[in-house]
Amino acid sequence: MVQSTGTAPAHERVTPRPHVSVLRILEMNLGFLGLQFSFGLQQGNMSPIYSYLGANEAALPILTLAGPMTGLIVQPIIGALSDKTKSRWGRRTPYFIFGAILCSLGLFFMPLSSSILMAASLLWILDAGNNITMEPYRAYVSDRLEPEQRQLGFLTQSAFTGLAQMLAFLSPSFMVYVLGMNMNAIDSHNIPYVTRYAFMIGAFLSLTTILWSILRVPELPLTPQEEAAIDAKPKGFLPVFAEIWQAIIEMPIAMRKLALMSLFQWYAMAAYWAYVVYSIGHSVYGTSDAISDGFRSAVLANGEMAAFYNGLGFVLAFAMVPLAKRLGAHRIHALCLILAGIGMFSLPFASEKWMLFIPAIGIGIGWASIMGNPYIILSNAIPPDRTGVYMGIFNMMIVIPMLLLAATLPFYYEPLLGGDARNVLRLCGVCMFCAAAAVWWVKTEVATADGAAMAADQ
C-alpha cells in the first residue's frame, strides 16, 4: 500500500476542519430527518394514492417516474453547481433552503389531489425539492467533517433516516389508534383524511428541520485556496455538463464497482416500495381492491411494519459504526443486503399481520446499511473538491435502476409474475442477493491529497 506524498494542490483544504462534537453531528443531520420523513410518506402512500384515484397496478412504476427522473437530472447538476457556488450563505445552504420550500409545497398539496395527473405533477415538484436538498446534504457532511468522523456522520444520516421514516409510516396508525380518527373517512377522491394530515405534518417538518441544521451548524467558510479554485473554474451550464462528463470518465475505481451493486439494490428497493402494500393486501387481507376496507388496513399494516424496521434501522445504524471500522463497510453492507433479501423473499408468506414483523427485521438491517455504508465507501474515495458532483453522479446509480424498473416491469408483470405483487417481492429478494455478491468485492479506498486513492483495508 503506497500513499502519495505529493504537495497538496490548490483545491485541497489547507485549514484543518475543526473536530465536531457528537451533539453537533446530530444537529447537522436533523434536516435529514425532515427530508426522510418526506421520503417515508412517499414510500408508504404514493402507490395507494394513485390507486385511490383509479390507477392500474401494472402502471405504478411508470407513475412513480418523477423520483428517478428528477434525481437523474437534478442531482448531478446541483452537485456540480454547488461545488462552484460562492455566496454569503455558503456553497450548499442556498440549495437546502430552495429545495426544502419546494418539498414542503409538494407535501402540503399532494393529499388534495383530485386526479392522477394532479398527483403525478405534484410528485414531480416534491421529488425535485427532495433531490435539490439531498445531494448538497451529502456533500455538506463530507465538507464539514474530517475523514475519521465521516463514518459517524453518514451513519447518523442513516439513523435519522430510520427514525424519520418510522415516524412517517407510523403517523397514520397513530392518528387512527391513538387519536381515534376513522381510517375509512375519505374525501370525494377516496383519499383518507389521515393521509392528508400526515402529509401536512411532513410539510412542516421538511422546512423547519432543514432551517435548524443550517442555523445551528453552518457551513465552514471557504479558504482562500478554495475560493481561488472556484474562481478559476468556468461558469455557466455548458461547463457544468462538461464537468459531470469529465468526472464520469475519471470516476474512482471503488465508485465504478459500486455501480453494479446499486443496479440490483435499487431495482429491488423501488419494486418493494411500489408493491409491498399490494402483497400485504393479498397475503394478509385477501384483497387487491383499492377502495376496500381491507386495502386501507393493508396500508396501515405496511406503515406499522415499516415503522418497526425503520426504528430498528435507527438503532442499528449506530451499532454499525464500530463494525464498519473493524470489518470494512463493504463487507458489513454485503451481509446486511443478504438479510434484507431473505426478509423480502419471505414476506409474501406471512398470512397474519404479526407475521409481517419477522421478515421486517432483515429489511430493517438492510435499509440501515443502504443509507450509510455505501456513502462511507464513496466519501473516502472521491477527491474533496469534487464531492458535490460525485455525490450527484452516485445518485444516478440509484435512479437509473428505478427507471429500468419502470421500463421493464409493466411488460413482465402479467406474463412472468402472474399479475401478483407477492411475486414482485420474491424478485426483490433475489436482486438483493445479487447486490450482496457485487458489493463484497468492493474495496474501501481513501482519496489522497493529489486525487489518487489507496485501499484502506488491504
Side-chain angles (χ1 to χ4, degrees):
M1 174 171 68
V2 179
Q3 182 173 355
S4 171
T5 57
T7 304
H11 67 252
E12 187 61 88
R13 186 174 187 90
V14 176
T15 304
R17 298 174 180 86
H19 184 84
V20 181
S21 69
V22 173
L23 177 60
R24 288 291 177 265
I25 290 177
L26 292 173
E27 285 190 299
M28 72 185 293
N29 283 305
L30 186 65
F32 220 71
L33 185 143
L35 189 63
Q36 292 297 331
F37 193 97
S38 168
F39 276 115
L41 289 174
Q42 287 178 246
Q43 292 166 21
N45 294 280
M46 279 313 304
S47 290
I49 285 174
Y50 281 134
S51 292
Y52 298 145
L53 296 171
N56 181 273
E57 276 187 38
L60 292 175
I62 296 174
L63 290 172
T64 55
L65 271 178
M69 283 299 296
T70 54
L72 184 67
I73 297 168
V74 170
Q75 286 215 26
I77 295 174
I78 293 298
L81 288 175
S82 69
D83 281 342
K84 299 179 180 181
T85 296
K86 282 199 319 180
S87 77
R88 58 185 296 185
W89 301 284
R91 278 193 292 183
R92 320 295 182 185
T93 301
Y95 303 96
F96 292 164
I97 296 174
F98 180 66
I101 291 172
L102 276 185
C103 180
S104 296
L105 290 173
L107 285 171
F108 185 86
F109 289 104
M110 178 62 73
L112 304 178
S113 297
S114 58
S115 66
I116 294 174
L117 177 61
M118 181 177 176
S121 300
L122 285 169
L123 185 59
W124 281 86
I125 295 173
L126 173 56
D127 273 315
N130 280 334
N131 281 288
I132 289 170
T133 304
M134 173 70 78
E135 190 286 325
Y137 219 119
R138 298 288 193 189
Y140 162 61
V141 170
S142 189
D143 292 343
R144 198 68 170 76
L145 301 178
E146 286 293 323
E148 61 268 19
Q149 286 196 294
R150 287 178 189 162
Q151 281 187 326
L152 179 59
F154 284 114
L155 287 173
T156 299
Q157 285 192 351
S158 178
F160 273 121
T161 297
L163 177 61
Q165 296 196 3
M166 178 186 73
L167 296 174
F169 279 110
L170 200 57
S171 56
S173 293
F174 180 83
M175 294 178 197
V176 171
Y177 299 122
V178 178
L179 301 183
M181 293 184 64
N182 183 1
M183 74 173 181
N184 294 316
I186 59 176
D187 64 17
S188 58
H189 305 291
N190 299 314
I191 298 176
Y193 285 102
V194 293
T195 302
R196 177 181 297 186
Y197 296 137
F199 270 72
M200 290 178 178
I201 292 170
F204 173 79
L205 286 177
S206 180
L207 185 58
T208 55
T209 57
I210 290 285
L211 292 175
W212 180 277
S213 288
I214 61 179
L215 291 174
R216 292 290 294 168
V217 191
E219 293 185 68
L220 293 174
L222 294 171
T223 65
Q225 292 82 3
E226 288 171 330
E227 290 192 359
I230 291 173
D231 290 337
K233 291 180 178 179
K235 305 298 186 290
F237 274 97
L238 286 179
V240 166
F241 290 113
E243 165 69 11
I244 293 170
W245 178 248
Q246 189 65 28
I248 292 173
I249 294 174
E250 299 171 1
M251 189 183 300
I253 294 174
M255 189 172 176
R256 293 179 185 274
K257 292 180 178 179
L258 287 173
L260 183 60
M261 174 213 74
S262 293
L263 174 65
F264 290 110
Q265 173 181 284
W266 289 105
Y267 193 98
M269 290 307 305
Y272 174 83
W273 290 329
Y275 287 94
V276 62
V277 170
Y278 301 88
S279 176
I280 294 171
H282 278 288
S283 63
V284 178
Y285 297 97
T287 184
S288 59
D289 183 0
I291 60 173
S292 66
D293 293 353
F295 186 83
R296 286 189 285 272
S297 295
V299 173
L300 290 184
N302 175 58
E304 292 160 23
M305 179 191 70
F308 169 74
Y309 77 65
N310 276 285
L312 184 65
F314 169 67
V315 175
L316 292 177
F318 290 110
M320 287 182 192
V321 175
L323 290 175
K325 289 181 178 179
R326 177 175 297 182
L327 301 177
H330 62 292
R331 294 190 184 100
I332 292 298
H333 191 49
L335 295 173
C336 291
L337 290 179
I338 290 172
L339 294 175
I342 293 171
M344 289 180 176
F345 193 88
S346 59
L347 189 67
F349 295 103
S351 57
E352 300 288 339
K353 180 178 175 180
W354 67 269
M355 298 173 65
L356 298 171
F357 294 87
I358 299 174
I361 295 172
I363 297 170
I365 293 171
W367 183 236
S369 184
I370 286 170
M371 295 306 294
N373 283 313
Y375 295 96
I376 295 171
I377 301 169
L378 179 66
S379 67
N380 288 329
I382 57 181
D385 66 319
R386 302 174 96 176
T387 298
V389 68
Y390 274 123
M391 288 291 181
I393 292 170
F394 189 63
N395 188 67
M396 293 171 66
M397 299 179 187
I398 297 173
V399 301
I400 288 173
M402 296 180 179
L403 292 173
L404 186 62
L405 176 74
T408 58
L409 190 139
F411 295 101
Y412 68 77
Y413 184 65
E414 291 287 346
L416 297 182
L417 301 180
D420 191 334
R422 291 170 292 186
N423 290 328
V424 177
L425 263 66
R426 295 183 181 109
L427 174 64
C428 292
V430 173
C431 287
M432 281 298 190
F433 298 146
C434 294
V439 77
W440 183 264
W441 305 109
V442 176
K443 298 298 183 183
T444 304
E445 298 174 345
V446 179
T448 59
D450 61 356
M454 63 177 182
D457 60 352
Q458 295 186 58

